[in-house]
C-alpha cells in the first residue's frame, strides 16, 4: 500500500523550511477565501487547524460559504469504508461547482490521500481535483499552491519525515480548549486498522516542545488541553531519550494548566505508574477512553490487540479503584471476520461487567491491504447490524445509568459554548467528560463553574449554575 518514497532527507528539509521563509501575506493569495471540511478523528480536526493556520499566514481567509471560495479542501478519513463514500459523494457536488467557477482549486488531503488505490482513482477518474497531499505533506501545501498552474498535483509521501515543529501556526477552533499533538503515527498494527499505513510509524514530539506549547496555551488563557496521539501511552518509546507517558503527564500537570485530557489510550501500554499520576494530580481529568474492541480472547488475538480479556478487565478495575470518580469509555468492533455468536456474547458480557460510561461501536469494515481484510468473513451484513443494535442497546442502558448517578450532585463544568439544544443555555463538560446543558448566563463561557445536575439522559445532563 505504501507509495514509493519520493524525497530524500535534504529535499524534505528544504521543503519544510519553505514555510518558514515564505509564511506571511503572499500577494498572490491576498483576498482569497478557503473552505475546509474535515472528516474523521480529532487528529484530523487538529491537522485542519494546522492547515488553516498555514493558509492564513499566506494571506487566505476562511469562508463558511462554499460557493464563494477560491480553495476547497477536504481533509479525509480512511478508517472505515463509509468514510470514503461520504467524501466521494461530496466530490460529486464539487465537480459541478467547478464547472461554474473554473478558477476554483479543489484539494483533497488526509488519510484517504495516503491510499494508493484512491490516488490512482483520482488520477484516472477525478481530474478536476487539483491538489492532493498526504498526512506527511501538510507543510508543503503553501508551495504546492504557489506552484499550481492548472495541472493536477499529487504529493503523497509514504515515508514520514522528522517531526516538524510548527511554532504555533495553528488557527485553533476554540480559545478555551486546545489539542496538543504529542506524537504522530502508530506502531501497533491492529489487523483491522489502516492508521499505521496512512499515518506512518510512531514519532513522538520532544517533551520540551510539548511543554512549550502547553505553557503558551496557558499564557493565552486556555483552560483545557487534550494531549493527542493514536496511542498516547506509547509516548516516548521511539525517542532517543527514553521517556514514559507518565513522565510527560506529570510535567504537563506541573505547568498548572487547569485541565488536562488525553486520547487515545491503548490498554497494552498502560502502566501502573500512569494510573498513579492520573490519580495524584487534580488537573489531570478523571476520564479515560480505553478501547477494548472485543470481549473474546480469540478475536482479540486475531485483531493483534496484544492483551487478553482478563488483562483488560484487570486494568479497567485497577483504574476504577485508584482514580476517584473516573469515567471510562471504549470502542468496540462487531462482526470482525470469523466472529461467532459465542465471541459476540463474550463482548456483551464484558460490557455488562465494565458498565462503560459510553462507547463508540462499529461494524467491521475491511480496509485495503490490512491483514483482516484477507481473513475469511462469512457473516452477513444483516447479522452484523443486528449484533450492533443489540450491543448499542446495552451500551445505552449503562451510559444512562452512569448519567443518572450524577442526579442532584454538584459538578465542576468548564463551559465551552452556547448550548446546541437551547440557545438560552450554555454547555460544557464535567471533569469526567459528561456533556451538560446549563441554565447559566453566556458570560460563564470560558469559566469553570459549579453546576447542580437536575436531569440525566443517555448522552447528556441538564443542570443549573450553583451560586
Ligand atoms: N472497521 C471497523 N472499525 C474500525 N476501527 C478502526 N478500524 C476499523 C475497521 N477496519 C474503529 C476501532 C478504533 C476506532 C477509532 O475505529 O474501534 O478504535
Ligand atoms: Fe489502529 Fe490499533 Fe494503532 Fe489504534 S492502536 S491506531 S486501532 S493500529
Amino acid at each position: 500500500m505504501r507509495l514509493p518514497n519520493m524525497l530524500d532527507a535534504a529535499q524534505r528539509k528544504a521543503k519544510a523550511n519553505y514555510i518558514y521563509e515564505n509564511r506571511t501575506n503572499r500577494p498572490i493569495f491576498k483576498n482569497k477565501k478557503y473552505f475546509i471540511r474535515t472528516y474523521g478523528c480529532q487528529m484530523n480536526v487538529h491537522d485542519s487547524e494546522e492547515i488553516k493556520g498555514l493558509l492564513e499566514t499566506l494571506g487566505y481567509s476562511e469562508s463558511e460559504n462554499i460557493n464563494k471560495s477560491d480553495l476547497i479542501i477536504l481533509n479525509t478519513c480512511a478508517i472505515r469504508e463509509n468514510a470514503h463514500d461520504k467524501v466521494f459523494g461530496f466530490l460529486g457536488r464539487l465537480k459541478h461547482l467547478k464547472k461554474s467557477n473554473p478558477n476554483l482549486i479543489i484539494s483533497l488531503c488526509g488519510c484517504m490521500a495516503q491510499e494508493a488505490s484512491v490516488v490512482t482513482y483520482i488520477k484516472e477518474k477525478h481530474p478536476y481535483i487539483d491538489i492532493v497531499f498526504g498526512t506527511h505533506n501538510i507543510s508543503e501545501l503553501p508551495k504546492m499552491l504557489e506552484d499550481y498552474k492548472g495541472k493536477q498535483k499529487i504529493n503523497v509521501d509514504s515515508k514520514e519525515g522528522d517531526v516538524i515543529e510548527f511554532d504555533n501556526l495553528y488557527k485553533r477552533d476554540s480559545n478555551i480548549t486546545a489539542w496538543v499533538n504529542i506524537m504522530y503515527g502508530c506502531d501497533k498494527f491492529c489487523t483491522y486498522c489502516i492508521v499505521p499505513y496512512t499515518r506512518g510509524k510512531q514519532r513522538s514530539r520532544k517533551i520540551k516542545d510539548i511543554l512549550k506549547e502547553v505553557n503558551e496555551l496557558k499564557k493565552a488563557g486556555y483552560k483545557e488541553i487534550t494531549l493527542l496521539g493514536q496511542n498516547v501511552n506509547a509516548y516516548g518509546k521511539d525517542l532517543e531519550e527514553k521517556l514514559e507517558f507518565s513522565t510527560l503527564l506529570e510535567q504537563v500537570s506541573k505547568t498548572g494548566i487547569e485541565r488536562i485530557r488525553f486520547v487515545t489510550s491503548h490498554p497494552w501500554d498502560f502502566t501502573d505508574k500512569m494510573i498513579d499520576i492520573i490519580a495524584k494530580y487534580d488537573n489531570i481529568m478523571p476520564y479515560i477512553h480505553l478501547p477494548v474492541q472485543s470481549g473474546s480472547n480469540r478475536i482479540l488475538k486475531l485483531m493483534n490487540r496484544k492483551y487478553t480479556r482478563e488483562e483488560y478487565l484487570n486494568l479497567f478495575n485497577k483504574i476504577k479503584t485508584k482514580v476517584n470518580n473516573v469515567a471510562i469509555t471504549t470502542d468496540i468492533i462487531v462482526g470482525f471476520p470469523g466472529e461467532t455468536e459465542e465471541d459476540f456474547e463474550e463482548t456483551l458480557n464484558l460490557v455488562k461487567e465494565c458498565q462503560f460510561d459510553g462507547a463508540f461501536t462499529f461494524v467491521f469494515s475491511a480496509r485495503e491491504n490490512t491483514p483482516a481484510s484477507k481473513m475469511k468473513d462469512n457473516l452477513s451484513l444483516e447479522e452484523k447490524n443486528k449484533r450492533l443494535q443489540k450491543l448499542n442497546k446495552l451500551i445505552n442502558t449503562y451510559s444512562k445509568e452512569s448519567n443518572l448517578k450524577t442526579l442532584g450532585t454538584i459538578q465542576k463544568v468548564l463551559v465551552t459554548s452556547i448550548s446546541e439544544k437551547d440557545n438560552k443555555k450554555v454547555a460544557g463538560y464535567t471533569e469526567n467528560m459528561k456533556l451538560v446543558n446549563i441554565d447559566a448566563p453566556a458570560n460563564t463561557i470560558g469559566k469553570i463553574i459549579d453546576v447542580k445536575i437536575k436531569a440525566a439522559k443517555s448522552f447528556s445532563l441538564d443542570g443549573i449554575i450553583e451560586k
Side-chain angles (χ1 to χ4, degrees), residues 79-80 192-193 291 293 331 333 362-365 367:
I79 198 106
R80 286 169 292 273
Y192 50 82
C193 186
Q293 313 296 3
D331 288 345
I333 298 177
F362 312 98
V363 166
F364 168 76
S365 169
R367 306 312 297 125

Side-chain angles (χ1 to χ4, degrees), residues 41 78-81 191-195 230 264 289 291-293 305 330-334 360-367 370 372:
C41 65
I79 198 106
R80 286 169 292 273
E81 188 69 37
T191 55
Y192 50 82
C193 186
I194 200 165
V195 169
Q230 303 293 346
T264 290
H289 184 59
V292 64
Q293 313 296 3
R305 287 294 288 180
T330 199
D331 288 345
I332 297 173
I333 298 177
V334 300
F360 299 98
T361 56
F362 312 98
V363 166
F364 168 76
S365 169
R367 306 312 297 125
T370 56

Side-chain angles (χ1 to χ4, degrees), residues 322-450:
K322 288 195 169 173
V323 184
N324 190 25
N325 191 31
V326 70
I328 303 182
T329 56
T330 199
D331 288 345
I332 297 173
I333 298 177
V334 300
F336 186 83
E339 184 190 76
T340 62
E341 195 55 50
E342 291 74 40
D343 293 319
F344 178 60
E345 280 297 323
E346 292 203 45
T347 297
L348 294 177
N349 285 335
L350 180 128
V351 169
K352 285 179 194 156
E353 219 167 303
C354 293
Q355 307 194 0
F356 292 105
D357 295 275
F360 299 98
T361 56
F362 312 98
V363 166
F364 168 76
S365 169
R367 306 312 297 125
E368 190 180 79
N369 290 336
T370 56
S373 69
K374 295 173 195 117
M375 293 178 191
K376 204 155 178 250
D377 186 7
N378 294 328
L379 206 64
S380 69
L381 187 60
E382 196 190 349
E383 183 53 38
K384 290 183 183 189
N385 279 326
K386 263 197 208 152
R387 286 185 189 175
L388 183 73
Q389 276 173 21
K390 198 167 170 187
L391 176 65
N392 283 344
K393 222 172 136 197
L394 191 64
I395 296 277
N396 291 348
T397 45
Y398 291 122
S399 39
K400 175 113 192 234
E401 264 177 37
S402 150
N403 282 348
L404 280 169
K405 282 185 199 146
T406 64
L407 268 182
T409 63
I410 296 184
Q411 301 281 331
K412 292 222 169 299
V413 178
L414 171 59
V415 183
T416 49
S417 62
I418 296 288
S419 162
E420 278 178 24
K421 291 266 157 67
D422 178 347
N423 63 15
K424 289 192 193 69
K425 292 185 175 183
V426 293
Y429 287 88
T430 63
E431 295 192 324
N432 61 9
M433 201 62 182
K434 291 181 191 297
L435 173 64
V436 197
N437 292 299
I438 316 154
D439 250 324
N443 66 8
T444 55
I445 293 176
K447 294 185 184 141
I448 295 173
I449 59 170
D450 285 335

Side-chain angles (χ1 to χ4, degrees), residues 236-250:
K237 289 190 174 176
D238 55 303
L239 289 173
E240 261 172 45
E241 172 200 3
K242 287 278 168 288
L243 265 177
E244 247 221 2
F245 180 57
S246 57
T247 312
L248 172 69
L249 255 187
E250 187 163 35

Side-chain angles (χ1 to χ4, degrees), residues 242-292:
K242 287 278 168 288
L243 265 177
E244 247 221 2
F245 180 57
S246 57
T247 312
L248 172 69
L249 255 187
E250 187 163 35
Q251 294 293 317
V252 172
S253 169
K254 286 181 175 165
T255 63
I257 190 126
E258 286 192 64
R259 284 183 164 198
I260 300 155
R261 302 187 184 279
F262 50 90
V263 277
T264 290
S265 296
H266 190 298
W268 193 79
D269 292 295
F270 221 115
T271 62
D272 285 355
K273 182 132 180 261
M274 288 173 200
I275 305 176
D276 291 341
I277 297 288
I278 297 164
K280 181 171 168 191
Y281 291 96
D282 285 346
N283 59 349
I284 304 178
M285 293 296 102
Y287 165 71
I288 295 168
H289 184 59
L290 194 66
V292 64

